[in-house]
């Protein structure tokens, strides 16, 4: 498509071997702004990531030069928009190492999991069946299953965690009883940073005929993914955590599931033929993409994936591990600070509390110092119930953060802690 590839190529960091992280950071204009008179320290990346210039530029470029609806028009713009949209599907498929015709583009993980819940689970599950979910799931991987359970009579069973925030794998395997039809598990916890051994988990589930749904929201931005090797049945990702625009994401599903699942949402784009006698649906994945999608958003997501790949997911993971080690060590030196989630090999998410200070108060005071962290329950009430706390603070790092930012965050935390003491 004219224009967009030029944007792709324009400002890629592309440093095979050593990455120039300062130059990478310069691609994120938002990180240069001030908040309350202080340089911004953005540590809420698990909530949403910031967007590099090529992604920002792709939105401008798309609306300036290529905007048209997809799959409907034969005119040049329509063709360009459709090609760009489909190119992003193919790009995402390569990133995940799956087939493009198994990738359903949708608004994000929440939609993706609901699609599995309504199209796969609802018609199949019945009383006596069980849906197994882990304690550390985001609400997006709990509530859809509760809705299915309510309507089918199926039960929800919880796979527990260990105090360090890792999954109790023995318990999980024991919980895979014959009544369990579906297992829903996060690849990476958005609160604890735990990286679950999803390959092993899915292998065990598959041996028992259990269908697996892996929530990859927090894995895709930080790890080199090979979804085919994981061996799950469904894998969900969300684009806005991967440096892409909001309102973009995908569900990968095995072709046999997509073939057998009824459509979730009906409308234009997802049909071959409609009459008042009935409708012939389009082939998957289009069968699940009714209506006009977030075309510009997906073009931007394709650019974001190019951007991540140009840096290299292995380099990103290594950089974040280094930042995590620094931040963990610095935080541990603060008296009365408790970290939730210390599983080996965890991702760069640090949930914590400081004795004697409320999480929201600390977050508000940190904001006044220019430091953006999240406080609250992180859409994971059952997990916080396990730890018996009402809220935590969460600092979540990305490759574009710096050691100096971590020092400023820790210094601001020390200052605010003393204020509240
Ligand atoms: N699962 C996890 C683990 C998440 O962190 C999030 C986002 N916080 C979601 C699901 C939901 O993603 P979205 O809101 O983009 O649909």
């Amino acid at each position: 498509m004219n224009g967009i590839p030029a944007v792709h190529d324009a400002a890629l960091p592309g440093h095979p071997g050593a990455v120039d992280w300062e130059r990478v950071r310069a691609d994120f204009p938002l990180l240069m702004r001030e908040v309350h008179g202080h340089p911004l320290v953005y540590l809420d990346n698990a909530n949403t990531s910031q967007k590099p210039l090529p992604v920002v530029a792709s939105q401008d470029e798309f609306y300036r030069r290529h905007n048209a609806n997809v799959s409907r028009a034969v005119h040049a713009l329509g063709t360009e928009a459709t090609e760009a949209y489909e190119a992003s599907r193919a790009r995402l498929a390569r990133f995940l190492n799956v087939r493009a015709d198994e990738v359903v583009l949708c608004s994000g993980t929440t939609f993706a999991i609901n699609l599995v819940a309504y199209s796969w689970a609802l018609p199949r599950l019945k009383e006596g069946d069980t849906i197994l979910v882990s304690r550390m799931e985001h609400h997006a991987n709990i509530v859809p299953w509760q809705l299915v359970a309510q309507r089918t009579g199926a039960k929800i069973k919880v796979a527990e965690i260990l105090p360090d925030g890792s999954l109790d794998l023995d318990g999980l395997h024991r919980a895979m009883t014959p009544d369990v039809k579906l297992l829903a598990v996060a690849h990476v916890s958005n609160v604890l940073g735990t990286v679950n051994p999803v390959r092993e988990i899915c292998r065990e589930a598959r041996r028992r005929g259990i269908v697996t749904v892996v929530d990859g929201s927090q894995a895709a931005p930080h790890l080199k993914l090979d979804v085919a090797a994981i061996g799950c049945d469904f894998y969900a990702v969300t684009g806005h955590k991967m440096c892409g625009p909001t309102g973009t994401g995908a569900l990968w599903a095995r072709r046999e599931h997509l073939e057998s699942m009824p459509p979730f949402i009906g409308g234009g784009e997802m049909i071959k033929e409609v009459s008042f006698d009935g409708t012939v649906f389009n082939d998957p994945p289009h069968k699940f993409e009714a209506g006009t999608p977030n075309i510009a958003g997906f073009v931007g997501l394709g650019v974001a994936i190019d951007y991540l790949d140009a840096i290299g997911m292995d380099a990103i993971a290594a950089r974040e591990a280094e930042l995590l080690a620094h931040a963990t060590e610095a935080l541990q030196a603060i008296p009365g600070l408790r970290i939730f989630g210390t599983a080996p090999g965890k991702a760069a998410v640090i949930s914590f509390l400081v004795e004697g200070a409320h999480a929201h108060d600390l977050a508000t005071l940190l904001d006044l110092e220019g430091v953006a962290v999240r406080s609250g329950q992180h859409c994971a009430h059952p997990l916080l119930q396990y730890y018996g706390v009402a809220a935590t603070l969460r600092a979540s790092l990305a490759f574009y953060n710096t050691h100096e930012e971590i020092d400023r965050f820790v210094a601001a935390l020390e200052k605010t802690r003393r204020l509240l003491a």
Side-chain angles (χ1 to χ4, degrees):
M1 177 171 165
N2 279 345
I4 299 294
V7 174
H8 282 219
D9 296 333
L12 290 176
H15 294 263
V19 177
D20 181 349
W21 294 109
E22 250 177 64
R23 187 176 148 205
V24 167
R25 186 175 167 83
D27 283 333
F28 292 80
L30 188 139
L31 300 177
M32 310 305 151
R33 66 165 282 186
E34 292 199 340
V35 168
H36 302 306
H38 298 276
L40 169 67
V41 178
Y42 184 77
L43 302 179
D44 197 15
N45 296 288
N47 211 351
T48 197
S49 65
Q50 296 305 339
K51 321 302 174 199
L53 279 171
V55 172
V56 175
S58 74
Q59 304 304 281
D60 184 75
E61 170 79 3
F62 180 80
Y63 285 117
R64 267 180 205 277
R65 291 184 46 82
H66 307 288
N67 180 48
N69 211 330
V70 290
S71 310
R72 287 181 187 145
V74 294
H75 56 69
L77 293 188
T79 308
E80 286 176 17
T82 305
E83 279 174 10
Y85 180 71
E86 290 303 328
S88 286
R89 187 196 309 277
R91 190 68 193 83
L92 183 55
R94 281 206 309 282
F95 186 76
L96 300 175
N97 192 29
V98 294
R99 279 167 50 173
D101 67 356
E102 296 180 336
V103 173
V104 179
L105 298 180
C106 61
S107 62
T109 295
T110 303
F111 190 99
I113 294 176
N114 276 275
L115 171 54
V116 184
Y118 284 92
S119 281
W120 187 90
L122 197 57
R124 282 176 179 74
L125 298 192
K126 51 184 188 331
E127 225 176 306
D129 290 340
T130 297
I131 301 168
L132 184 57
V133 301
S134 97
R135 164 71 65 180
M136 70 176 81
E137 296 314 303
H138 185 281
H139 295 162
N141 208 16
I142 298 175
V143 181
W145 308 122
Q146 288 176 331
L147 295 173
V148 167
Q150 273 165 19
R151 286 170 65 173
T152 59
K155 292 220 157 25
I156 305 270
K157 185 153 77 173
V158 180
E160 286 298 347
I161 60 169
L162 300 172
D164 72 348
S166 55
L167 261 180
D168 174 0
L169 287 179
D170 291 340
L172 176 67
H173 294 161
R174 275 196 309 275
M176 291 183 187
T177 44
D179 53 309
V180 175
K181 296 291 179 290
L182 185 141
L183 166 66
V185 66
H187 192 166
V188 175
S189 161
N190 65 312
V191 180
L192 307 165
T194 310
V195 181
N196 287 317
V198 283
R199 202 168 165 163
E200 176 188 336
I201 292 169
C202 292
R203 191 178 53 232
E204 289 300 318
R206 207 164 176 75
R207 282 204 313 126
R208 296 163 169 88
I210 299 169
V211 163
T212 45
V213 182
V214 178
D215 175 352
S217 307
Q218 298 291 347
H222 308 292
L223 305 177
K224 190 167 178 59
L225 284 182
D226 185 346
V227 171
I230 291 171
C232 54
D233 289 279
F234 298 98
Y235 196 93
V237 294
T238 207
H240 68 92
K241 297 184 200 285
M242 306 163 58
C243 295
T246 51
T248 61
L251 174 72
W252 169 80
R254 289 176 188 272
R255 186 77 193 178
E256 74 240 34
H257 293 317
L258 292 180
E259 300 279 3
S260 73
M261 284 158 59
F264 175 30
I265 306 281
E269 306 282 358
M270 48 77 77
I271 49 88
K272 278 186 177 152
E273 208 181 299
V274 179
S275 79
F276 283 113
D277 295 327
T279 290
V280 182
F281 301 125
N282 210 334
D283 297 324
H286 307 286
K287 181 169 83 173
F288 303 103
E289 295 178 9
T292 301
N294 182 0
I295 307 163
F298 282 106
V299 170
L301 180 58
V303 176
I305 293 172
D306 277 347
Y307 188 89
L308 294 177
D309 267 347
I311 300 172
M313 292 310 294
D314 287 334
I316 285 175
R319 165 77 173 174
E320 290 176 355
E322 185 191 300
L323 293 170
L324 174 67
H326 176 178
T328 306
E329 196 186 330
L331 287 172
Q332 275 166 343
I334 295 182
L337 188 140
R338 173 184 176 198
I339 292 177
F340 299 85
T342 51
K346 66 176 272 191
V349 176
I350 311 174
S351 284
F352 64 96
L353 277 177
V354 181
E355 213 174 16
H358 195 281
H360 291 303
D361 294 342
L362 275 176
T364 307
L365 290 172
L366 283 172
D367 180 55
L368 293 175
E369 301 286 325
V371 178
V373 294
R374 186 162 172 194
S375 63
Q377 303 186 320
H378 320 296
C379 299
H381 289 187
L383 178 60
L384 269 67
Q385 285 154 13
Y386 169 88
Y387 285 109
V389 296
T392 70
L393 287 128
R394 183 186 70 183
S396 49
L397 311 173
F399 57 89
Y400 45 69
N401 288 127
T402 64
H403 290 279
E404 195 240 327
E405 282 184 307
I406 289 168
D407 292 339
R408 274 197 279 140
F409 154 56
V410 175
L413 185 63
E414 262 295 5
K415 182 175 158 189
T416 50
R417 181 186 74 90
R418 282 174 210 276
L419 278 177
L420 291 172

